[in-house]
Each structure stands twice: as structure tokens, then as C-alpha cells.
Amino acid sequence: MFRQIWQRILNLWQQIQRRFRKPVPPAPKPTPIRTFGEYEQKFLQLLEGVEQGWSRGDIKGFLIGCKIKDAEWENWLQEFGDRLLVSPETNLELGGRMVRLGEMNCGRISEVAGKIGRELLAGESLNRKDEEGRSVGNENIVTRLLDGKNLSQTPADDSSVGNENIVTRLLARQSLSATPTDNPSVITENIEVNPEAEELYNQGRECYSAGDLKGAIAAYKQALEIYPKFHEAWNGLGNALNGFGRYSEAKAAFEKVLEIDPKCHIPWNGLGNALINLGRYSEAKAAFEKVLEIDPNSNPALYGLGATLHSFGRYSEAKAAFEKALEIDPKFHHAWNGLGATLNNLGRYIEAKAACDKALEIDPKYHNAWNGLGNALKNLGHNREAIAAFEKALEITGDQLRQPWENRGWAFFNSGRYNEAIQNWDEGLEKYQPTNHDYRLAYGKLHQAKGLAHYIHGKQTATYFDCFHKAKASYKKARELLKSPLIPETYVEVMQGLITVSSSLGDPKASEYLTEATILLEQLILDNETHPEIKLRLQRKFAGLYQLEVDTLVESDDKVNALEKAESRKNFCLQWMRAGSQNRTASPTYPKIRELLANNTETAIIYWHLSPVSLTAFIITLDNLEVIATPLCDLSPRDNSQSLEKWLKEWKTNYQNYGNTTSKQQTKESHPWRESMTAQLQELADILKIPEICTHLTNIQHLILIPHRDLHLLPLHFLFSDNLFTITYLPSIQPGIDRLDRKPSPSMSLLLVESPDPLLFAEIEASAIANFHLNCNTISSSQATTDNLKEALQQAADIFHFTGHAYHNTKQPSQSALILKNKQPLTSQEIAQFELRSYYLVCLSACETGITGKEELIDEFVGLASSFLAAGAVYALSTLWIVDEISTALMMIRFYEILNEQRCQNKLHPALALKEAQKWLRTITYSELSDWYLELAKVTYNSGCSQDLRDEANLIRRNNAKMESDEPPYAALYHWAGFTITGKVNP
């Protein structure tokens, strides 16, 4: 009787507390726009999703789709919680689900729901009676709930646990634990497992090995009902749940293992895998690193770490992790597959194929490796073999693997089999079962693929409208499939495609779609739970949305805001692609932009902006801002007109073929890329509307060219050469403003790096250039290592001249590099970290700094020149393509001759010096060149170089045909137009 009276008193006291509880004063409550029941319906849908294993991204997508503010949720939840807490014992399952929602860390709704859930469980513990009406002690309610549906393990007496980083919490628990035998909750080898539980555990393992995940889950649960502290069964359950796509439950199961045995490293791997799938990459990385701290040779942890780094886009580090795993176990086929995927992303397709082949040699039925092999073959252009590989992956999985359906379609499409590609995706939509945990994502991705294929095909044919409308319909289907609950990143991908095709069709809804997509993207990026490296990846991936915003402003005739937004985006990209920073920095306003012209009426800025649907040229003079916008898909094209997209594809393909030519010099000279260069660039001038731009350049003598995306890789200055402008490039306007007050040093000291490879004219070039500088620090070819160059760059100098090789990496611009001795790279990313403000000029007289791939640049390109500017240099001279050794040496020597003459007159002007050197190279005859060799030999201190110059002069003089010819040998624009100078304006 006493116990019953006491229990009633406790219940009454709880009700009084709830009635008089003073909430934390919030902002004024918004007027609800829904009834209580409508909020309840949405909330129960959310909890059902959590029960089904929704990831954090799924939950956030659902909440965004609900369009209910955090304050509304919080106010409603307080009332909902008060109702539930009147009878906590009848709402245990609901409480468990709310606790699990709290653990997902999805903002204020998670925090409030988790707190209410814990109150429900704690309240039931107080109220619980046995069959005789006696109050039961305060047992761990969560342990009872770990029976399958509600796998949360949050302690009922700790209301802060739900908001903590789970990995941090577990690591803290582990660090506080004594040895396993000191902890009564830890199973040791001396504790016998119930035989029936052990049999069920073995049954679960057999089911798991046979691919029967449902059977495995059931068996493990039965084992745990018999023996709840059977940590191997919890670990098996976690693995099975991971495989089934129920990642939240898997996470909770692995946490339970670590609660039982904090010293066990095995569940950290499973926990890391669950966290990766939940999008919690930082915590996943910490979990795998914890395993490696305990066991540095743990292959699964190295694999998981590689997968996490791959998700961050840190492919070089991911590659190292996979390679380390393979050093330990060369037969670890998962690591071979991970390595193959990483090499694919690095553009190293032949190596990627070899890695996937190795995985399949170990396990011929490894479906993911067949898919990876197909991707490598597809990227190599071997589409027939790729299709066969994708079909093998589908055969092994009974057509129930999403990726090969998507990828096989693109292999068909790339083979010119457009109709078969569409049929493939339709077949995938028919055969992929809704019982798959990722079926909504699969259906959305397949419709998205159809939309993109229709759009690309339409641009390549005369039937624009038919294909574009099909594309739009496919994108809209994908949008509906991904919308509720929202799959955010894929949804934004689809929206970007829908906006692009809608804009091309002139659909007024494009603006509405753009607003929706940009708001969602900003929510993803600003979310505190999104890892900084994921934010960077999202920024680059969805660059098209920002570009389309500029188009919208141009269409509304808001030229100033359009220019400011384009400039802001450029500066942000230059910053985060260079140094990995995601913080926005100040970008100049239009009045500040005009300061770059420095009240100079003879200077103009041509600022290009390239979006998925339009090319815009901003023409900025001291008095005017003009805009010329051209659609990339002209729905009523002129006869024989060519789009910029087609032109760029042809240019890059021809250039890449030229670069791969290894035959005789004569064959290279007659290669179509070189022979058709002039004609191709004249076509480009028409596409870019250069004649129309020039009508706005009356009385202009100096041009500042600011390209965008693929335009960075082209000799745009050649398109204006007939007007004899002095031309300087800039990556954006801000670096030009930053350099307005920078002045050259009178000493002009030189740091010169000789070519690590033996090249005769590179040696002549280095010796001759050193001749013009009294203070010259030379790193000889034998000493041209990355370490020596890094050390030398830390010392102040005025000019840095590099005569070796270099390359641009368009896929990962931060990995563009100078190539030093033993093929060691000094990357663009490393260069940008130096302090090079003392350097007035950086000259990259390299044999290759040009295009290296056919891929379209989706966002701003940060090459080597931009990286040197980022480090503080005032000017950077570089090349756009593979340049000729002889003509390069001649022009570089002449450039420094002119620069030396300017210095003596105290009128240093590198852009003008380059212009004059280019003019000299394309007009000098062999006879004049022989005279120049002999004059240069007289003033060259290096006797070997002097003799080489005399020998070259004599070779010409012994050839009567050359001596009598009036035709300049280096007049072709290939020899001189590839050199550009980037940096300060109006020295």
C-alpha cells in the first residue's frame, strides 16, 4: 500500500512540475500555419523514416521539404511532449524513436525530441511495477529497448549525450576504462556464452556469408535476446544492418559492442562504415584512425580511411591509404577496388583498370570491381568492353545494383548509341526492385541520366525542341522521386540540369527552379554538420548554379550586380581551390573595379563569364560597362555556325592527339592541330564576337583579359592581335587591384633553375639570361630538386626563371606542377603557400604547361601562373601548350634583352616586353637570326654557351636557301602565341 501511495505522489509531483515548468524565453512564437494534427502527422512520418534507417541527409531533406521553421517545431514539440509525459509507460516505442532522432544531430528538432524521448524512458522506469504491483528498480531502460526496433543506447540520466559527437563520446569512454577484466560490463574469455545464443550467432554468420541479411539480422537478434552482452553478436548485427542500409541502427549496434568491450577495435571499423553512409565523415575518419592507433596494420581500417578520404575528394591521400592496405595484404580485393576508383578520379584510367583487374583476379564475382572496371574502360573510350563489364556486375547481382545500370547507359551513349542508352535506363527503372534500400535514389539517378542524355543529344542535332522537352520531362520525374523525403545533393544535381534545359527553352519557370536550388545548396553548405571539405566539393560541383544566377541578372539588365557576382564567385574559387579555405573574402564592388583602370581612358577590361547556357562578355572602360551575351544553344542557328562547346571539344581533341604524337618533327609540324590553328582561332573570334567587342574599344591601347573556365586555356590575345594592343591577363579583377602599387626593385636579382633534363637550347637560354643579371643565383640541372627549389624560393629575389617542364592538371588544378629532377613535382598548391611578395616576375619557360584532358572545366581554373600570383608575385609569364624548344629559347632570351633595356631606362613593362619579343620572333629571318646569334655570343660570359651560339650561326650561314629566304621561320602562331603574361596592369 505504501508503495502505491508513494507512486501516486510521484506521478502528481511530475504533473505539477510540467504544469508550472518555465520554458527558456524564446523569440515570440510564430502563428502556427498548421493544426496540431498536421504537425503530428509530419513528425510521425519523420520518426518512421528514422526507424527505417534514414541518414542524416534524408532527415534534413525531409525537414526542408516540410517547410516548417525550427521555432514552430520546437513550440509544437513542447506541447506534444507534455501530452506524452502524462502516461510515459504507454509511449515507450515512441520515446525510443525520439531518442534515436536526437542522436542524429539534425538541429533543434533532434535536440528537443531526444530530450522528450529520454524523459519518457526515465518516467517509465520510475512507474514500472512487477506482477505483484511492486515498483521495479531504476534499471537501464535502453538495454531493454535494444531488442531490434529501437537500437538507441543513450543513458536515460544524461540529457546531453544525444548532442555529443558519438565518436568523441566513445573515445572518452574508452580512455577512462581500465583493462577489460576491470570492467564488470566487459565480456572476457572466462565468461561462457550461452550455447543456444552461440548457435544462433553461428547461424547469423552463415546467413551473412550467404548474403541473407534478413536472416542474419533475425538470428543475431535472437542470440541477443538470450544473451544481451554477446558483443560478437552485436558486431555481427551491426555489419548486417550496414549491409541492409539501416545505418542508424548499425551505428547503435556497434556502439553497444564498444559499451561492452571498450578495448575491442573491431567494431570501430563497422561504426566508421555506418558513419560514412550517414554522411558523418569527420566522425568516420576518427573511428578508422582509432582502429589504426590500436592496430596500425588493420586492413579494414585502412580501407575505411581510404573510402573516407575519397569522399572528401582527397584522392592522393586515399590512394596512399589503399596502397598501404595492399602492402599488408596484396589479396585484399576491396582495397584493389577502392584504389581503382581513386585512380579513376585522378584521371589515371590505365592504372585504374589494372587495379580492378587485380580485384577480379582475386574474386571473379566481386560486382563492385566489375562496375569499377567498366568505369575505367569507359573513360579510356573502350565502350564495348565497358558494357560487357557492367553487364557482368548486373548478372552477379541479379540486376539489383544501381551503378552499372547508370554507367552502362553512358557507355552506350558515348558509343553514339543514344537510343540504346535510353532503353538501358528504362530497363533499369523496370527491373530495379523497390525493396532495395536505395531504390528512390536509383530511380532518381536513372531519370536524371535520361534527362542529361536527351539534352546533350539535342545540342548535337537539329531537333533541339523535341530532345530538350524530353530532357525536361525526365528531370521533372527525377525531381519528384527525390523530393519527399529529400535526397539533398542528388536533388540539387537534378535541379541544376532542369534549370539548364529550362533556360535553354526560355521557360520562365527556370528562375523559380534556380531560386529553389540555390536556397537548398546554401542550406547544405551553411549547415554546421557539413564537413568543410564536403562544403568545398559542393561549391565546385554546383558551380553552374552560381553561373546561372549571373545569367539571370544579365537578362534583367542588372549589369553591375551581374559583374559583381561573377567577380565574387571567381575570387572565392581562386581562394578555396588554392588553399582549401571555405571562408568568403571581400570582393570588389563596381566602383572599386573601376579603380583598376586608374583613370586611364586608354585601358579596357574584357571580362568573360561562361555558364551552362550562355557566354557573357563584360566590356569595362572608364566611362562605360557594356555587355554582350550569347546563348550556347542557339535554337535557330545560322547556316554553318558552330557552338563554343563543339569548338572547344574539337580543339582539345586535336591538341591531345598532337601531344600524343611521338613521331618525327616533320610529322608534328604538319599535324592538323598546328596546321589548322589560324583558321580555328578565326572561327573562335566569330563565336566570341570579337569584332563586335572591338567596336567598344575606340582609342584603347591596353587590354586586360579575364577569361573564365575553358577560355583560360586559349590564346585570346591572338584574337585582338590585328589591333596591336598591349595585353595582360588576370585570373580576376581583385589580383589586379592588389598589385596597383607594387614597384620593381632596382637590383632585379635573379633565381634561375636550369632544366633538369638535358636540352641544348634550354642550356643556351639559361646561360644567356644569367648574362643580363649581375646578381644571379643559379640552381644547376644536377641540383634542381624540389627541396633545393623550396629552400631557394624562401630567399628574397626579384625574378624567378624556370627552364624545365611543367604541366596543368585540369581535373585537379591544385596538382598542376613544375617537374624537377627525378620527375619530382612542385605542385600549384605547394607554390601558393610560399611567401613570394619580393618576386616581381616569375617566368615559366616550360615545355608543357598546356591542356591535359578533354574534360570541360565546370568552374574557375587555377593554374600555375595564378598560384604564383596567389603567393605574392607581381607578374607570371607562362605557356598554354607544348612549345618548341628552339623558338622558346629565342623568345625568352629576346624578352630578357628587352626587359634589360627597359630597366636601364627605368621603364620596366613586362607585358610590353613580351609583345615586342613575340613580334620579333615572328618576323625575324634566318639571316637576321644568324647575326643575332653572333652578337649574343660576344656578350655571353659562358664560353660553352658562346661557342654553341657561334655554331648555330654557322649552321645557318652554310645553308644558302636559309640565308636567301625572306620567310621568317617562326612566323606560325604556334611558336609565339602560346605565351601569356598574367599580373599587374599599367606598370
Side-chain angles (χ1 to χ4, degrees), residues 375-437:
N375 278 329
L377 290 164
K378 174 167 62 71
N379 290 326
L380 286 167
H382 303 162
N383 291 301
R384 181 177 296 178
E385 295 95 326
I387 290 167
F390 294 133
E391 288 172 348
K392 188 68 176 176
L394 291 171
E395 176 191 325
I396 293 168
T397 60
D399 295 330
Q400 301 310 301
L401 188 62
R402 168 179 63 85
Q403 293 87 343
W405 281 116
E406 186 179 348
N407 295 330
R408 186 175 71 161
W410 287 116
F412 279 126
F413 187 86
N414 295 342
S415 305
R417 298 155 70 179
Y418 159 69
N419 290 326
E420 288 172 83
I422 300 299
Q423 289 167 10
N424 166 85
W425 292 316
D426 284 336
E427 185 184 355
L429 288 165
E430 180 183 336
K431 290 186 175 179
Y432 203 73
Q433 297 298 318
T435 52
N436 290 306
H437 72 273

Side-chain angles (χ1 to χ4, degrees), residues 252-452:
F254 291 123
E255 289 165 11
K256 185 64 180 176
V257 184
L258 292 166
E259 176 186 311
I260 296 168
D261 185 358
K263 294 294 184 182
C264 181
H265 72 271
I266 294 173
W268 284 105
N269 282 316
L271 179 60
N273 290 328
L275 289 165
I276 285 179
N277 287 304
L278 289 168
R280 297 164 69 166
Y281 300 110
S282 297
E283 296 168 72
K285 182 170 175 284
F288 293 125
E289 286 172 343
K290 181 61 185 177
V291 182
L292 294 169
E293 180 185 318
I294 299 168
D295 179 6
N297 292 329
S298 170
N299 266 344
L302 285 165
Y303 174 81
L305 181 61
T308 308
L309 293 166
H310 188 277
S311 299
F312 284 144
R314 291 160 61 175
Y315 301 123
S316 296
E317 294 171 73
K319 174 176 169 287
F322 291 129
E323 288 173 340
K324 177 66 175 175
L326 291 166
E327 281 179 23
I328 297 165
D329 181 4
K331 292 188 178 295
F332 187 16
H333 60 290
H334 293 284
W336 280 114
N337 186 60
L339 178 61
T342 302
L343 290 166
N344 247 326
N345 281 294
L346 288 168
R348 295 162 64 172
Y349 306 128
I350 294 175
E351 295 169 79
K353 176 183 176 298
C356 293
D357 283 336
K358 190 67 178 176
L360 291 168
E361 179 186 315
I362 298 164
D363 182 358
K365 292 191 175 182
Y366 185 25
H367 52 278
N368 286 327
W370 282 109
N371 183 68
L373 176 62
N375 278 329
L377 290 164
K378 174 167 62 71
N379 290 326
L380 286 167
H382 303 162
N383 291 301
R384 181 177 296 178
E385 295 95 326
I387 290 167
F390 294 133
E391 288 172 348
K392 188 68 176 176
L394 291 171
E395 176 191 325
I396 293 168
T397 60
D399 295 330
Q400 301 310 301
L401 188 62
R402 168 179 63 85
Q403 293 87 343
W405 281 116
E406 186 179 348
N407 295 330
R408 186 175 71 161
W410 287 116
F412 279 126
F413 187 86
N414 295 342
S415 305
R417 298 155 70 179
Y418 159 69
N419 290 326
E420 288 172 83
I422 300 299
Q423 289 167 10
N424 166 85
W425 292 316
D426 284 336
E427 185 184 355
L429 288 165
E430 180 183 336
K431 290 186 175 179
Y432 203 73
Q433 297 298 318
T435 52
N436 290 306
H437 72 273
D438 65 342
Y439 81 95
R440 286 178 53 253
L441 175 63
Y443 289 7
K445 294 290 282 185
L446 292 174
H447 279 298
Q448 178 191 9
K450 286 179 63 179
L452 181 56

Side-chain angles (χ1 to χ4, degrees), residues 158 161 164 167-186 258-263 268 290 293:
D158 184 357
V161 169
E164 250 187 287
V167 175
T168 303
R169 190 172 84 233
L170 291 168
L171 289 173
R173 178 195 299 160
Q174 189 173 66
S175 66
L176 291 172
S177 300
T179 60
T181 53
D182 293 328
N183 188 333
S185 70
V186 176
L258 292 166
E259 176 186 311
I260 296 168
D261 185 358
K263 294 294 184 182
W268 284 105
K290 181 61 185 177
E293 180 185 318

Side-chain angles (χ1 to χ4, degrees), residues 910-941:
L912 183 59
L914 177 61
K915 174 185 172 182
E916 291 180 4
Q918 288 172 320
K919 181 180 179 181
W920 172 84
L921 182 66
R922 69 177 189 259
T923 57
I924 193 168
T925 65
Y926 273 119
S927 175
E928 294 167 332
L929 187 58
S930 69
D931 293 338
W932 182 77
Y933 280 146
L934 293 174
E935 289 298 318
L936 190 61
K938 293 177 184 177
V939 296
T940 299
Y941 300 132

